[in-house]
Amino acid sequence: MNGMRRGARFIALLIASAPLATHAASDIAENRECATCHIMSLADFKRDDVTPLVAYDPRPMVETGRQDVSSTERMCFSCHDGFVLDSRSVWRNKHHEHPVGVRPSSKVRIPTARGKVVFPLNDDGKLYCGTCHTAHGVDWAQTESPVFMRVKNVDSSLCLACHLDRGTGPAAGNHPVFGKLDAWPAALLAAGGKPGRHDDVTCESCHRTHGGAQDKMLVLANTDSQLCGACHADKYRIRKTKHDLSVMAPEARNRKGHTAVESGPCGVCHVAHGGNGPDWWARDITNPESTGGRCLSCHQPEGLAKKKTIGEHTHPINVPVANAGITATIKGWVSRFSLLNKDDPLLPLPLYDKRGLHTRTGGNVGCGTCHDPHVWSPAEAASGDPRKIEGGARDSFLRMTADGDGKLCANCHVDKGAVALSKHNPTVMAAAKIRSQEKKAPKIPDAGRTADAGVCGACHAPHNAKASNLWARDRGPGAGFTEALCNDCHRDGGEAGNKRVGAHSHPLNVKLAPGMTSRLPLYTAAGRSQTAEAKVDCATCHDPHQWTPADAASRAGTRADVDGDARDSFLRLTASGRADLCVECHQAQRFVRGSDHDLSVTAPQDTNAKAQTVVQSGVCGQCHVPHNAPHAQGLWARAPGAAPEENERLCRSCHAQGKTAASKVPSESRHPLNITVWSDRVRAGYRPGASTGLPVFNRDGRRDITGIITCVSCHDPHQWSARHATEGPGRNVEGDVGNSFLRLEQSAEFVCADCHGLDALFRYKYFHGKSSRKEYPLYR
């Protein structure tokens, strides 16, 4: 080639020094610019009386194929070797430039205009310099594109004219183009990467048509994903972590057959062009319809990460974040629940649309919502050999730490965040245990269930949980769904063995009584449900995540030595005061409030068997306790009095000398116990339409078909007035036959008439009268 160039220059000098005719000199002058490349067009080369030193072949066969001699690489390099323009970098890195001498692949579409191809090929149908370049029709006035191009190349428009498939964006598995960068990396610009006119990404941001640093015309070497890391510095932190497969699985190959060592830590999962769906995925996707399909291409039993599978019980994905009460907007996340700390707003985490692409409005939860696959720890840089590191709640590619107060979990589950301020926070109990052991134990045993696991991780595991509800512990005794979960701790030998429910406790795993309704949660064997088969369970009354029902931000439960009462104790509603929790289900008993049986009215300083005042226990808690009741009947909260049958014993807890209701002790109080009476249910079969509402009981104090008449046969201890189903007046009043907790105010159809006939009214009204029993013959 050098010989040809030297020959051409020598011939040109000869022509310039020769005495030529006037018309010949005119021909040379007219063709001088063209003759730079088209030297055989000079008139002197058309003479028939001479023989040229170099035989003229107008369409020689060269490395790129057969083509016009003026468009060969040798012709281009005759000037671009530094003689006119220094383009030595082009042929010094000849293997890293746009290919020539090859036929376009099936993915290339060469455009046409007016019936002609815009980018011609040589005689063999191969690419050559003249496919993209031309020396003709140059517009020297324009500055928006390099000259000598067949069409203007503005924002890589020339590249995309043929490589349209490369500009279709992430949905088609390609790196996005025309996305704006806030700041362009200096290393990328120094290497020749070019931003678009609006500082957006174009083909030439990553590729140099001539003089690339690596295969694929890359402006920077990418063997260790340096090119990717230039722009995606936040993702480049993946190096030397468990997701750096060049360390963890160096022989793993992506869908293009490249090993992790060849492709770099980024290329093993992403390819800039021809990826498998969104994120330019470089691997097979297990479930394309799932937002976690990309992660599961490795994290599955046959995948590269088969030791880190998610298990049967795992955090749900492909579900709207709105299910957790979160509204995702462009401005940020808003929860329908109150934040514990208003100065610490929610962090908007990534969400995904149905195609698996990021969305900031609405969207579904995916693996990437909680995990950042490129950053091992949100708190500190990765260090050490990743093959020897086991993750925990502070790293494991989590976007926020999940240890301590469980910020990651509470960022979505705002209504559960109050558990950090309660005795269900393992750090609270761990600190108490250390104090009780006089600081002899530097670390609490079973750290996976205490402080090291975090407040949430002590009971829940996002992956490979043992049971539904992401339960991370063993199941304790009990048939109820949440009962078995609670009893892993609240049992003999359990971590909360000093807080067992006891033998005399509120019934569990039972349906609500007919006619009873509640807004509190009910449960089936599968979990929470409001179906007809749902039953009462521990979590019906208790919210294990919030100590004080009225105040999520209360810190009253942050001390292990605090003993709860009806005002807190993880109750869903307060049971103190007006006992809202109790009457939520037991609505027929709500009329006790404000009556003489409401001890906040009649005996506010009195205490139940647990030494709780009515302020601590609530109106119901003075007579009933849900757990560890001293007496089984009615979960009685007081010491029963002396009486021959069960219900009267309960009444005698107060209505006895020296007790709370000593002023209301009837002199005569007992119907003969040897008389058995039909219940209203039996009597209705013999006397259709008759309804007394007066129950009868067996000796154990339970309603029965036939039984004895006792205190609560005539009295309803929860309703002051027989005439009006309302709450009491809120003050201590003297009763009469129309109230006084009597069930009936008249005797037309009540049970007494079956035996006593017309004198039943007299006997009913004066049942407790001592003098009447002595003076009136009807009582003799």
Side-chain angles (χ1 to χ4, degrees):
M1 182 176 3
N2 291 336
M4 176 177 278
R5 288 201 296 270
R6 285 195 295 270
R9 294 169 187 162
F10 178 72
I11 292 171
L13 288 173
L14 286 177
I15 293 172
S17 62
L20 300 176
T22 304
H23 69 277
S26 176
D27 286 343
I28 295 172
E30 292 172 354
N31 293 289
R32 187 174 299 277
E33 290 185 3
C34 300
T36 302
C37 298
H38 301 280
I39 190 169
M40 300 306 296
S41 298
L42 291 172
D44 287 273
F45 283 94
K46 298 178 181 178
R47 293 165 52 183
D48 295 329
D49 58 335
V50 295
T51 300
L53 296 177
V54 179
Y56 175 54
D57 184 357
R59 309 195 78 78
M61 175 63 72
V62 293
E63 290 183 2
T64 53
R66 189 175 298 281
Q67 60 196 61
D68 191 296
V69 67
S70 60
S71 64
T72 62
E73 284 189 311
R74 288 183 295 178
M75 183 62 74
C76 297
F77 287 147
S78 67
C79 290
H80 288 276
D81 63 351
F83 181 71
V84 174
L85 183 69
D86 188 358
S87 300
R88 286 174 294 179
S89 61
V90 174
W91 45 304
R92 184 173 62 244
N93 295 325
K94 185 173 175 59
H95 297 294
H96 303 322
E97 64 181 358
H98 194 290
V100 292
V102 297
R103 290 183 173 85
S105 74
S106 59
K107 297 180 180 180
V108 172
R109 296 290 185 268
I110 299 179
T112 60
R114 299 176 183 176
K116 296 182 179 180
V117 294
V118 177
F119 303 105
L121 304 174
N122 65 17
D123 294 356
D124 292 334
K126 297 179 180 180
L127 296 165
Y128 69 111
C129 298
T131 299
C132 297
H133 296 282
T134 179
H136 305 113
V138 174
D139 182 3
W140 294 98
Q142 67 87 23
T143 58
E144 59 183 345
S145 169
V147 295
F148 298 122
M149 308 303 297
R150 289 198 176 271
V151 299
K152 289 182 179 181
N153 189 25
V154 179
D155 290 343
S156 300
S157 57
L158 185 146
C159 309
L160 294 173
C162 291
H163 300 285
L164 187 61
D165 63 312
R166 296 294 194 257
T168 50
N174 291 301
H175 192 290
V177 289
F178 309 125
K180 185 176 177 62
L181 283 184
D182 295 331
W184 280 82
L188 190 68
L189 296 176
K194 297 180 180 180
R197 290 175 296 173
H198 306 293
D199 283 336
D200 47 3
V201 176
T202 67
C203 303
E204 295 163 281
S205 300
C206 296
H207 300 282
R208 289 185 65 176
T209 311
H210 300 296
Q214 193 175 329
D215 288 343
K216 306 300 181 182
M217 303 173 285
L218 299 179
V219 299
L220 282 173
N222 206 35
T223 51
D224 196 31
S225 301
Q226 302 98 309
L227 175 61
C228 305
C231 289
H232 303 282
D234 57 325
K235 308 294 189 296
Y236 205 40
R237 293 169 64 185
I238 193 175
R239 292 181 304 164
K240 310 306 179 185
T241 72
K242 285 183 175 293
H243 278 174
D244 184 347
L245 296 193
S246 64
V247 176
M248 302 299 295
E251 299 305 316
R253 296 181 181 271
N254 62 16
R255 69 194 312 255
K256 293 193 173 184
H258 301 148
T259 67
V261 173
E262 295 169 336
S263 65
C266 299
V268 74
C269 290
H270 306 281
V271 287
H273 302 296
N276 194 351
D279 287 345
W280 343 308
W281 201 244
R283 315 193 69 77
D284 292 332
I285 297 180
T286 301
N287 183 0
E289 301 301 320
S290 170
T291 57
R294 297 186 290 279
C295 302
L296 296 178
S297 61
C298 286
H299 293 278
Q300 46 101 357
E302 303 302 324
L304 291 174
K306 57 188 176 183
K307 294 182 179 180
K308 294 294 181 181
T309 56
I310 58 176
E312 176 184 359
H313 301 295
T314 190
H315 193 290
I317 57 175
N318 302 320
V319 295
V321 72
N323 290 0
I326 299 291
T327 300
T329 69
I330 294 294
K331 295 182 179 180
W333 279 17
V334 178
S335 174
R336 65 185 178 91
F337 303 104
S338 297
L339 301 182
L340 295 181
N341 184 358
K342 294 182 179 180
D343 295 328
D344 189 12
L346 300 181
L347 177 67
L349 299 174
L351 300 171
Y352 303 86
D353 62 18
K354 293 181 179 179
R355 299 172 297 167
L357 299 176
H358 284 256
T359 177
R360 294 175 63 188
T361 56
N364 294 335
V365 173
C367 298
T369 301
C370 296
H371 293 282
D372 182 341
H374 304 97
V375 181
W376 172 245
S377 171
E380 53 195 22
S383 62
D385 187 345
R387 294 167 295 185
K388 300 178 180 179
I389 296 173
E390 188 62 31
R394 292 187 58 81
D395 36 53
S396 304
F397 299 104
L398 295 175
R399 293 192 181 272
M400 304 171 67
T401 57
D403 64 341
D405 53 5
K407 280 191 174 182
L408 175 63
C409 306
N411 196 69
C412 288
H413 303 284
V414 176
D415 56 324
K416 308 296 190 295
V419 71
L421 306 178
S422 76
K423 292 197 289 185
H424 279 174
N425 183 343
T427 60
V428 172
M429 303 309 294
K433 186 177 289 187
I434 291 176
R435 287 194 299 269
S436 67
Q437 296 173 355
E438 297 179 346
K439 300 183 179 181
K440 292 180 181 180
K443 185 176 181 181
I444 298 303
D446 198 4
R449 291 187 173 188
T450 53
D452 291 352
V455 60
C456 302
C459 293
H460 304 283
H463 305 303
N464 290 294
K466 293 186 176 183
S468 56
N469 282 37
L470 304 181
W471 195 244
R473 310 179 71 91
D474 295 328
R475 291 173 63 88
F481 176 79
T482 61
E483 179 188 13
L485 306 185
C486 298
N487 283 343
D488 178 49
C489 287
H490 294 278
R491 59 177 173 83
D492 287 335
E495 292 185 35
N498 61 333
K499 291 294 181 182
R500 301 185 302 276
V501 296
H504 305 322
S505 294
H506 194 290
L508 298 175
N509 202 33
V510 295
K511 296 180 182 179
L512 294 179
M516 186 181 289
T517 61
S518 176
R519 294 169 295 179
L520 297 173
L522 302 172
Y523 296 83
T524 64
R528 186 166 179 168
S529 172
Q530 295 299 124
T531 64
E533 299 303 313
K535 300 177 181 179
V536 174
D537 213 331
C538 294
T540 298
C541 296
H542 291 282
D543 179 349
H545 300 99
Q546 184 169 323
W547 174 251
T548 305
D551 183 7
S554 170
R555 304 185 65 86
T558 55
R559 289 175 50 193
D561 57 347
V562 170
D563 200 5
D565 55 40
R567 296 170 292 184
D568 36 51
S569 305
F570 297 107
L571 296 176
R572 291 193 179 273
L573 298 170
T574 182
S576 65
R578 292 170 57 80
D580 291 337
L581 178 66
C582 305
V583 302
E584 181 64 29
C585 292
H586 302 280
Q587 295 178 21
Q589 284 72 41
R590 69 185 184 277
F591 304 121
V592 72
R593 298 184 295 200
S595 72
D596 281 9
H597 280 173
D598 180 347
L599 295 195
S600 65
V601 174
T602 54
Q605 301 304 317
D606 204 24
T607 58
N608 61 15
K610 293 191 172 185
Q612 295 174 329
T613 66
V614 68
V615 171
Q616 297 169 310
S617 70
V619 58
C620 300
Q622 282 298 296
C623 293
H624 311 279
V625 289
H627 302 307
N628 295 295
H631 194 65
Q633 177 67 15
L635 301 180
W636 204 243
R638 294 176 173 270
E645 63 85 23
E646 195 66 25
N647 280 304
E648 185 181 351
R649 292 183 66 211
L650 304 187
C651 297
R652 292 288 186 181
S653 298
C654 291
H655 294 278
Q657 296 300 323
K659 298 297 180 69
T660 302
S663 62
K664 296 294 182 181
V665 179
S667 56
E668 299 291 341
S669 60
R670 190 172 300 120
H671 191 276
L673 299 181
N674 60 339
I675 297 177
T676 301
V677 182
W678 285 346
S679 68
D680 184 53
R681 178 178 169 187
V682 175
R683 295 175 68 250
Y686 291 94
R687 299 175 59 185
S691 178
T692 67
L694 299 184
V696 295
F697 298 83
N698 59 29
R699 292 296 183 98
D700 293 331
R702 303 184 183 279
R703 290 195 183 201
D704 213 334
I705 295 176
T706 60
I708 61 175
I709 293 176
T710 184
C711 302
V712 288
S713 294
C714 297
H715 292 281
D716 179 349
H718 299 100
Q719 183 172 324
W720 172 250
S721 172
R723 185 180 299 112
H724 303 292
T726 60
E727 296 181 10
R731 63 183 187 279
N732 191 358
V733 297
E734 188 63 32
D736 55 37
V737 294
N739 44 49
S740 303
F741 299 107
L742 290 171
R743 292 185 184 273
L744 301 174
E745 63 173 337
Q746 51 81 31
S747 59
E749 294 292 343
F750 64 9
V751 66
C752 307
D754 284 357
C755 294
H756 297 285
L758 295 178
D759 66 335
L761 177 60
F762 181 85
R763 290 175 176 270
Y764 181 68
K765 285 186 175 183
Y766 297 102
F767 182 80
H768 294 300
K770 183 175 182 179
S771 59
S772 63
R773 289 180 179 241
K774 291 182 177 179
E775 297 177 8
Y776 292 92
L778 291 177
Y779 262 109
R780 295 175 183 172

